Every structure is written in structure tokens, then in C-alpha cells.
Amino acid sequence: MDLARTEVGKAGRRARNLRGSVARLALMAGPVAFFAVFFAYPVAAIVARGLEVDGVWRFGRIGDVLAQSDVRHVLWFTTWQALASTALTLLVALPGAYVFARFDFPGKQVLRAVVTVPFVLPTVVVGTAFLALVGRGGLLDELWGVRLDTTVWAILLAHVFFNYAVVVRTVGGLWAQLDPRQEEAARMLGASRARAWRQVTLPALAPAVAAAALMVFLFTFTSFGVVQILGGPAFSTLEVEIYRQTSQVFDLSTAAVLTLIQFAAVVAVLAVHAWTVRRRESALRLVDAATTARRPRGAGQWALLAGVLATVALLVVLPLAVLVQRSLGAPGFGYYRALTEADGGAFLVPPIEAIGNSLQYALAATAIAVVIGALAAAALTPRDAGRFVRGFDALLMLPLGVSAVTVGFGFLIALDEPPLDLRASWILVPLAQALVGVPFVVRTMLPVLRAVDGRLREAAAVLGASPWRVWREVDLPMVRRALLVAAGFAFAVSLGEFGATVFIARPDNPTLPVAVARLLGRPGDMNYGQAMALSTILMLVCAVALVVLERLRTDRSGEF
């Protein structure tokens, strides 16, 4: 009898596992189809267009392109500035990560929101803010006659500004959960403070530091808007060069080779990042973050807190404040009033209409990203899903690193024939924006879904509930707020997407980032002022979205 019960139990588990596998594949079907049609197909189309001649693939073209000295210079500068930006960001942000992790002080949550604002800002706004600070007629130019635009320092500082929150939240979130008693025990055994930190805390933090460094490197390696605005003709990353070869020189062959190079680099970085994340999840014993923060003690800790506050004020607050000040430079809100007028030049409609266009596109992109991302997160929830599902997880991250310029131009090339002739459709822009929003939805929802007690799902399945009903009645009530947070992130990143949108946004329906770039590309103080005004509006919209996110966040550990 016992043997029979055992066999029945095994058979029931096998049946449930089979149903779970079928349900997982069904959940993956939608995201896989979405990425195949709107990501893999356009990228493959533009690469094929560049490398195929008379039906024959010319892989020798790769060597020809790499043999060009200007291409090697672009590749070297892309790698060098990404490494320098990553090192400088870690140097500046690690003290901030410690302060947010270990100190409790008034206004901490507000300050956390402030340092996160740059990360959700479009890169066009970041470039514009630093242009107002260090460019011609900027604050430094007016006060001391110093200009840093078209220099590598402007690019590096803008990258630190943009990625400061990545290090603070990723490293600080883990640091806050490390048990401080381990370091205290080492001190009691005779270790100095420096040695205790080096041999106890640093090894535990290493996976988080590595993960943050890799993400910063990825963002800076594929930098487009910042370098496009601040670099001028002297500096060009791979992404900027792909844009130049595609839209100005019309050399699709060179653009295709550069896309393949960037794709290979991104895949390598994502593979290393996935390894560090798995190591971090499996090797740490954590405590409640709320129990580790305390008021600063002694002159040294108060000085450290003051130094971090000064860094935030100079690095984060000052560029944004100068941006707002420059937008108010004309009497009677003149730059803002000029946005309501159509000049028949860069725009077929008044620039102010870009606000409504951006909001509509971002809402549609958010809806798409939430649906696709929620399905993907549900499929990835089991930790023992196997290599195939882990590969699917890596696929979802690729749009963050693959050239958005390539995706945008690929849309024009690939989606031009029935049944996918979408070139004249408004949905083209939200589809491109949703590709960037899906990874944020997945990364936000996945930890919460994995935290749900699996026994609740098993109990519902044993009682006969279908996988859809299990999701609706078990998972959804627990992840509802995480879903709202994911939607907020998707909305913010969709609102600021620039690389792909610059190709596919129609002249009569520009988005805010595209409008800012067009205004900055035209001479005259009025165009410059209008760019500052539109950037300020875009910054305020993103800041409001961030405030809402901070109120909705259920996990205070500091993770993105």
C-alpha cells in the first residue's frame, strides 16, 4: 500500500512538472515571438543588407572595416571611455553606497530619489544639462571662461552623473543587508578597521560591485545621446558611428560590421554579468536592511556624510538646476512660449506637441512592455528552469546593449512589406520603446515572483487550478505593486528612448528627445533656449514618475 502511494505521488509530481513545463513554454511563446519579430528580425535585416552582395555574404568585409584606422580609433575610444567612466563612477559612488547603506539621517529617502533622477532621465536631457553647465555660454564659461564641451571630461562627468545611482542602489542595497557583526567580530580578534573591511566586507561586496561595474560599462560602452551632444565631431562611440554611417554616409556595410562588433561585446558583458548575479544570489547570508543603518558617529562619519551630500549637490543637483535656469533665460517664459509656435523648419508642428506625442507613445509602450515582461517573468520564476530558459533570460537583456540605432533603422528596412508594413503606422514608435522597457519589467517583477512561496502554487495546482488561475489568484495579488513599479520604470525609459525613435518618429509627430536633439542641431539662442525648455519639461515628467515609483516600491533594499 505504501509503495502504491509512493508511486502515485511520484506520478502526480511528474504530471504537475509536465504541466508546469507546458505552461512555461506557453508563457514564453508571446515574448519569444515579440522579440523574434521586432528585435531579431530588424537587426538581422540591416546586418544582412550590409554584408550581403548579390546573394553572397561577404564576411571578409569585417576585416576590411577593422583595417580602417578611423574605425579602430572609434573602437579604441569606445572601450577606453567606457573603462574610464566605469572606474570614475565607482570611485565617486562607492562612498555614497556606504552612506545610504549604513547611515540613517533626515531626508534619506528624498536624497535617494534625487540621486536616482539622472538614471531615469533620457540621455538627451543628460547631455543638454551638461551642455548648459560646461558648454559655450554655460555656467563655467560665464564664471571662469572654462569650456569642457567637445572634451572627453564632459563625456566622463556626464556618464558618472547618469550612472551614479546604479552603483549606489546595487552596491548599497547589498551593503545594507550584510551583517555588520561579522566585521565587528574580526575587529575583536585584533584586525584593524581597514583589514576587517578588506578581508570580510569587501569579498562579500565583490559580486555586487562587479555587477554594478558591468552594468555601468554596458551603458557607457553603448552611449549615444551623451556623446552625440557633448562629443562633437572629435569623439565618437560605436553607437554614434553606427548612426553616422547609417544616416549620413549611408554605408550600411560598415554600419553592419560595427553592429556585429557591438553585439559581440554586449553578449560577453551580459554573460559575465549573469555569472556574477548567480554567484551573488547563492553565496550570501543577509539580514534585514532596516537593522543595519544608524546615525553617524564621530567626526569622520559626519565628514563622510557631508562629502557625499556635497558630491550629490555638485554632480547631480547643479547640472539639473542650471538646465532649469537656462530654460528661464528669456523674459516672460519666452522659450516656453516659443514652443507653441511652428516655424516650418525643424518641425511641421509646434514643438509643444512633442509632449503629448511622447506621453501617448510611452503609455502604449508601457502597456506592451508590461504584458510581454510579465509573461517573461512568470516563465522565468522557477530557479531550476534549465539552460534554455536562462538563455531566454539573456535574450531579454540584449535590447539594453544592442545598438538602438540599428534597431530603429532595421524597423524601416524590415517592416516595410505586408503583413508587417508598419512604416506609416503610429505603433512603430511604441514597439521600439517597448523593447527597452521589457528588461526593466522583468528585472523588477522577477525577484518578487521568486519570493512567493512555491507551496501556495503547488497547493492550488493539487486542488485542480489551471496555471492561469494559479497566476491570477496566487501570484497576482502578491506582485500587484511590483507590477505597478515595473510599469513606472517602463514608462520612464520609454519616454526617453532616443536611438531608435530618431529614425522612426515622423516629422509631424516628434517625441520630446527627438525634438530636443533637432533644436540643439540648429543655430541660434532661441533654438538653444527651446531645447533647454523641452529638456526641463521632460526632466520634470521623469521626476514625477520617479516619485510615484518611490511611493510604490515594496522592496527597500535599493535594487532597481
Side-chain angles (χ1 to χ4, degrees), residues 389-403:
V389 177
R390 288 200 297 270
F392 171 64
D393 189 14
L395 169 68
L396 299 175
M397 294 293 291
L398 284 178
L400 291 181
V402 173
S403 170

Side-chain angles (χ1 to χ4, degrees), residues 229-251:
I229 293 174
L230 295 176
F235 301 104
S236 179
T237 58
L238 277 173
E239 186 82 354
V240 174
E241 187 63 19
I242 291 171
Y243 174 76
R244 190 180 74 86
Q245 294 289 340
T246 302
S247 64
Q248 299 176 10
V249 183
F250 303 108
D251 186 352

